[in-house]
Amino acid sequence: MKTETYTSKPEGRIPNSRFPLLIHRGAIPGGGTGAVKARFRENGWQNNWEYPGVYEYAHFHSTTHECLGCAAGWMEFSLSVEGWTKVRIEAGDVIVMPAGVSHEMVARSDDIMMVGGYPDGRDWDNIQEAYLSDADFRAAAKRIMMLPIPPKDPATGAPLHQWHDAPSSVDGGWNDFRDGLDASG
């Protein structure tokens, strides 16, 4: 299994995250809805769903981190990491997405099937940058910064070392962002 990492910083009213987005290539060989759900649940990522893709508009979550497993087919994402990056995933690949990272489906195969999950079965929200007031953005960013690091990676079951090793908000250049939130309410 190969793991790719993508970094992000705040961009407009997209908070993004100090934690890297991870893509585990071939994490669940062959994919399959049952196999993907079982792996996520085994590692504490519940409140699972299955759907032929994800939303076709940019959105992010402020109440939870998210994992997305490709159970069948392929899908192309546009992600608010490293200055908006397009990434293609295929059956067996798993994305571990920190809260605040905006994502949307931009292309897919006819047989696409995705499975989602959330650490400890948290409930998710659906936020679009264009519809956020300043106050709503500040509230969403504060919720994101308060979320704990999940105990296990949904694909590997190991601790999320890449997140534990991420720079603090001060070291990672997030200090100005945090100070802006504190100053505005």
Side-chain angles (χ1 to χ4, degrees), residues 80-95:
S80 64
V81 294
E82 299 180 4
W84 285 96
T85 298
K86 287 188 181 171
V87 175
R88 180 180 164 131
I89 63 165
E90 298 179 359
D93 294 344
V94 172
I95 296 177

Side-chain angles (χ1 to χ4, degrees), residues 29-79:
T33 303
V36 174
K37 278 186 183 178
R39 177 76 61 86
F40 289 174
R41 289 177 181 163
E42 169 184 311
N43 293 320
W45 291 66
Q46 299 151 1
N47 192 10
N48 304 112
W49 52 264
E50 57 186 85
Y51 190 76
V54 300
Y55 296 132
E56 296 180 85
Y57 56 84
H59 66 285
F60 66 89
H61 310 293
S62 72
T63 57
T64 186
H65 306 296
E66 180 176 43
C67 64
L68 299 169
C70 188
W74 61 267
M75 189 174 92
E76 190 173 286
F77 279 93
S78 182
L79 302 165

